[in-house]
Amino acid sequence: MSAFHYNFAIICRVPNSLKNRSVGSDNYPNGVDVEKARQEYETIREVLKNCDINIIELVEDESYPDCCFVDDTAVVIGNTALIARPGHSSRQGEVGEIRKVLKGDLRMNVVEIGNAKATLDGGDVLFTGKEIFVGVGKRTNEAGAQAVAEAFPEYAVSKVNFGNCEALHLKDVFNMAGRNVMAVAPGPDVQAVLQQMQDVANYPYHVMQMDSRLATDMLYVNGHLIHHVRQEMGNKSYGTLDEKILWPRHHVQLTELAKVGGSIGSQAILITRTRHPKRIISNIQDEDLGYFTMWKRSES
């Protein structure tokens, strides 16, 4: 099974407490329109179903206002799930239910972070299908990035300094739009991080430059690209997708959830689960491999 092919997604319903207790709600004195946020969430859930994904839907927990942004709670690649340790203390309790589902229901190989000083948000971990980039900065520290490298030794893992970027998470400004296509947000701070990534990358990628951060928010899954509607992306970035993306696309509206830092990718933990996980096949070819990689493929 190749990278970016998933058969399960863990998602979580929007709690009422998102309105005025979520991490980003301080910027909105009148709170968030929870009903509108739920409509946006339901649209993403249906789009994921249309991409041939089985949905595991968790009940919202009012004790954790940001629980619907599940991507920050775990990093899942292949049959391994690394339980994250979110950098904001109010979110660290969210991992309990996620751990239960990954370990008990899906029977994944669950890895815990050993270093008590480590912090790690899943939103800072970008898997390109060939290697992993970890943004070290606001929510993820060096120890958290090291935990990613230890959990996924079969991939090259590169740390990039994300502290000077205005965005909160790496995947707020970088996302995969296809197997070798990386969507990049504008701004000199983002370009500085991109230069770091290009310096340490083990593989080349096509860079698709977008003209806003919102336009960069997308999710590539099972050969489909999920992205924002035209009025949120803007005509220029939407036109870029029309020109360059040849695979099926789905557009969603995310105005309300975006107010408190929500993104399309933050709404789901995507999982590749097979009966024989050791036989998962990478889409990396022999000519892609270098001496610096730690890639190990089992014999068929």
Side-chain angles (χ1 to χ4, degrees):
M1 187 174 290
S2 63
F4 303 115
H5 184 89
Y6 309 98
N7 46 22
F8 288 95
I10 299 174
I11 62 176
C12 182
R13 298 173 187 169
V14 177
N16 289 320
S17 54
L18 181 79
K19 177 179 177 63
N20 49 29
R21 288 174 48 204
S22 63
V23 174
S25 62
D26 290 344
N27 298 321
Y28 295 90
N30 296 325
V32 175
D33 186 335
V34 173
E35 290 308 312
K36 185 175 180 182
R38 284 175 174 153
Q39 292 172 8
E40 294 171 356
Y41 158 82
E42 289 168 2
T43 299
I44 291 177
R45 179 185 62 196
E46 294 309 307
V47 168
L48 288 171
K49 287 182 180 179
N50 291 335
C51 293
D52 298 323
I53 292 182
N54 300 296
I55 301 297
I56 300 173
E57 187 172 38
L58 305 182
V59 176
E60 67 275 23
D61 188 337
E62 296 295 341
S63 300
Y64 299 107
D66 296 285
C67 63
C68 54
F69 306 134
V70 294
D71 182 55
D72 281 330
T73 63
V75 178
V76 181
I77 301 174
N79 194 47
T80 297
L82 173 65
I83 302 301
R85 185 178 293 142
H88 198 287
S89 58
S90 69
R91 303 201 59 197
Q92 292 180 359
E94 296 174 25
V95 304
E97 188 65 21
I98 299 298
R99 179 189 291 110
K100 178 181 177 182
V101 173
L102 290 169
K103 190 172 185 178
D105 298 337
L106 290 172
R107 300 186 182 278
M108 305 289 289
N109 172 33
V110 172
V111 178
E112 303 286 348
I113 297 177
N115 189 332
K117 296 181 179 180
T119 60
L120 173 68
D121 274 20
D124 282 322
V125 181
L126 178 65
F127 176 54
T128 70
K130 296 180 177 180
E131 60 187 318
I132 303 169
F133 294 101
V134 183
V136 175
K138 299 175 180 67
R139 294 291 172 82
T140 297
N141 60 18
E142 292 275 350
Q146 182 60 34
V148 175
E150 293 171 359
F152 305 102
E154 66 270 39
Y155 291 101
V157 177
S158 298
K159 296 179 287 186
V160 293
N161 183 359
F162 197 67
N164 294 325
C165 191
E166 292 183 7
L168 183 62
H169 291 121
L170 186 68
K171 287 192 287 190
D172 288 340
V173 289
F174 296 94
N175 278 295
M176 299 306 295
R179 290 197 179 278
N180 289 295
V181 181
M182 186 180 296
V184 179
D189 56 333
V190 178
Q191 293 302 310
V193 178
L194 176 62
Q195 185 60 60
Q196 290 184 62
M197 294 169 70
Q198 291 173 331
D199 289 343
V200 299
N202 292 310
Y203 304 97
Y205 303 96
H206 298 292
V207 173
M208 187 170 64
Q209 187 65 57
M210 313 305 285
D211 66 352
S212 72
R213 291 183 187 175
L214 206 61
T216 313
D217 179 23
M218 56 186 68
L219 193 63
Y220 179 64
V221 50
N222 293 354
H224 297 245
L225 185 65
I226 306 171
H227 57 83
H228 285 254
V229 295
R230 182 187 292 271
Q231 54 265 41
E232 292 180 351
M233 290 187 68
N235 288 328
K236 183 177 180 180
S237 287
Y238 203 91
T240 297
L241 297 186
D242 286 340
E243 177 186 352
K244 296 185 177 181
I245 302 300
L246 305 180
W247 37 98
R249 292 159 48 193
H250 307 265
H251 53 251
V252 299
Q253 188 168 356
L254 209 69
T255 306
E256 210 63 26
L257 288 169
K259 288 181 178 178
V260 288
S263 64
I264 295 172
S266 71
Q267 303 292 295
I269 297 175
L270 297 172
I271 297 163
T272 304
R273 188 69 180 92
T274 68
R275 292 183 179 180
H276 306 287
K278 291 183 179 179
R279 297 180 65 84
I280 292 177
I281 301 173
S282 168
N283 63 339
I284 297 178
Q285 303 299 314
D286 287 340
E287 57 267 26
D288 294 325
L289 296 173
Y291 73 94
F292 44 79
T293 70
M294 298 179 64
W295 184 261
K296 297 178 182 178
R297 290 181 293 176
S298 58
E299 296 295 329
S300 301

